[in-house]
Amino acid sequence: MNGKADPRAEGEVTTRTRLERGRGALGPALELVHTGRAPTRAVLTAELGVTRATAGAVAAELEALGLIRIDAKPSAAAGSQGRPSHRLSVAEEGPVALAAQVHADGFRAALVGLGGRTVATAPGCEIIDADPAQVIGSVVDAGARLLRETGRRCVGAGLAVPSAVAEPEGTALNPLHLAWPAGAQVREIFTERVRAAGIGGPAFAANDVNLAALAEHRHGAGRGARDLLCVATGHRGVGGALVLDGRLHTGSSGLALEVGHLTVNPEGRPCHCGSRGCLDVETDPLAFLTEAGREPGPEGLLVQARTLLRDAYADPAVRSAAEALIDRLGLGLAGLVNILNPDRIILGGLHRALLEADPERLRAVVADRSLWGRSGSVPILACTLDHNSLVGAAELAWQPVLDDPLGALG
């Protein structure tokens, strides 16, 4: 022996030391790549507040877990100087989460990877049984088939339902449009069916609009907002959600932001809650079809309402119905703006289509009826993600991995 140190061994020790120092940054680093906020190693280094070497070790560990990809030789942009930073992206062939959604006109299952990418989608079903166990079992079976067909590793499963979901029990308190019993144990049923299908990882269930807001905040129209208000009407009824500083505000027991029961037409239609003229029954697809003098057809109500608005807006009856719903929606949004003072509003479902049909009318109503609207307009934008509730359901399943990648996958 010559007494000289082995440089390879020293290099291995240095790499391990850097990784140990940065191990607590694995989750934050993964979330930065997941949400598109760290497209390069240089940005990751700055966002984490660590050294370039530590950021490199963290990125390498995430790549070893099959979660991200590192392009060490990216092409330089025209006119740039120096060597470009390594580019970071989610691993396209990496693990997925099983996402499931149940709504008044059917259910759907999908596999969603990091970055909110939908990897595979099962054909939607338009039959909803009055037994929640039957429906949830069917949508889990559809997801399990996708996993077998793709051979992907699954990190967990999330379910979106059109009902407030009470915490910590995971019960659907008011699945009115599904004909399910109040207090259905949706999370327990979902977990049991996921386990029975041989799907690994934790299982979650939550309100569909909450999950839509979460997905839009991370990957869509809500990205970058601090206090984000989401209001949407899906197949039936109206829901709302609030994201504060990057996290869903669900209240003390998961029931916050039941905006569907704001009164916007005191002499209006009777609501399931016992009141009259709520957003829930004054601005949803059925209300639009009724206002326009159209009978609901065999297709889903949301599809029928969107099609009518898109193809027949020149019809005076359709335009008048749209204006009536826009005015009621604007009144409801103005009240929410006065209470919550969000820095951005995003609209989904039929509300998105109403915004796109006459954006100036809706914004004018909100500005005229709200204190904050008069002092400074609140941006009102359309949701941009397809099937955002499904993507949000996947976010629930991805969250343990984002919190602790090694603990979840190592």
Side-chain angles (χ1 to χ4, degrees), residues 109-363:
L111 304 182
V112 181
L114 283 168
R117 300 171 302 107
T118 300
V119 173
T121 305
C125 175
E126 298 181 358
I127 300 174
I128 289 295
D129 196 279
D131 178 7
Q134 181 68 35
V135 179
I136 292 173
S138 296
V139 73
V140 170
D141 288 344
R145 285 194 294 273
L146 288 177
L147 287 170
R148 289 194 297 270
E149 291 167 1
T150 61
R152 293 296 188 98
R153 179 181 182 181
C154 185
V155 300
L159 171 67
V161 293
S163 167
V165 177
E167 297 294 348
E169 301 89 354
T171 56
L173 289 190
N174 58 342
L176 301 171
H177 303 300
L178 298 179
W180 287 1
Q185 301 286 333
V186 291
R187 184 178 301 151
E188 180 180 329
I189 295 169
F190 185 58
T191 300
E192 290 175 351
R193 294 308 175 102
V194 165
R195 295 290 170 269
I199 299 170
F204 306 88
N207 171 263
D208 53 2
V209 179
N210 276 351
L211 298 180
L214 181 62
E216 292 284 347
H217 186 266
R218 290 182 174 179
H219 308 294
R223 183 180 288 172
R226 189 187 68 179
D227 299 333
L228 175 69
L229 172 64
C230 175
V231 177
T233 174
H235 298 261
R236 291 292 300 272
V238 175
L242 184 65
V243 179
L244 298 176
D245 291 326
R247 294 193 174 275
L248 279 172
H249 174 70
T250 56
S252 60
S253 57
L255 308 180
L257 270 292
E258 279 293 299
V259 304
H261 301 292
L262 287 173
T263 299
V264 293
N265 184 11
E267 304 303 320
R269 299 172 177 84
C271 182
H272 305 283
C273 71
S275 186
R276 300 184 71 88
C278 297
L279 271 178
D280 209 59
V281 292
E282 294 290 338
T283 66
D284 78 341
L286 181 59
F288 176 62
L289 294 173
T290 302
E291 195 84 25
R294 302 301 204 272
E295 290 292 328
E299 64 217 289
L301 290 174
L302 179 58
V303 172
Q304 188 178 351
R306 279 173 166 166
T307 302
L308 180 65
L309 189 60
R310 183 188 67 235
D311 297 344
Y313 192 65
D315 184 324
V318 174
R319 179 183 288 270
S320 177
E323 290 176 348
L325 262 71
I326 288 171
D327 290 348
R328 295 170 197 159
L329 174 60
L331 183 60
L333 292 178
L336 291 168
V337 166
N338 284 336
I339 296 169
L340 301 172
N341 189 26
D343 59 7
R344 193 180 309 174
I345 299 171
I346 57 173
L347 302 179
L350 181 61
H351 291 169
R352 168 182 172 174
L354 290 170
L355 172 66
E356 292 169 342
D358 196 343
E360 295 309 315
R361 185 183 186 98
L362 179 61
R363 291 175 178 133

Side-chain angles (χ1 to χ4, degrees), residues 364-407:
V365 173
V366 174
D368 184 58
R369 293 300 192 104
S370 65
L371 174 63
W372 306 121
R374 293 174 185 173
S375 64
S377 61
V378 180
I380 304 175
L381 307 175
C383 291
T384 58
L385 299 179
D386 293 331
H387 306 300
N388 50 18
S389 292
L390 270 177
V391 176
E395 291 294 317
L396 290 181
W398 274 112
Q399 193 59 53
V401 181
L402 296 174
D403 291 337
D404 183 6
L406 273 178

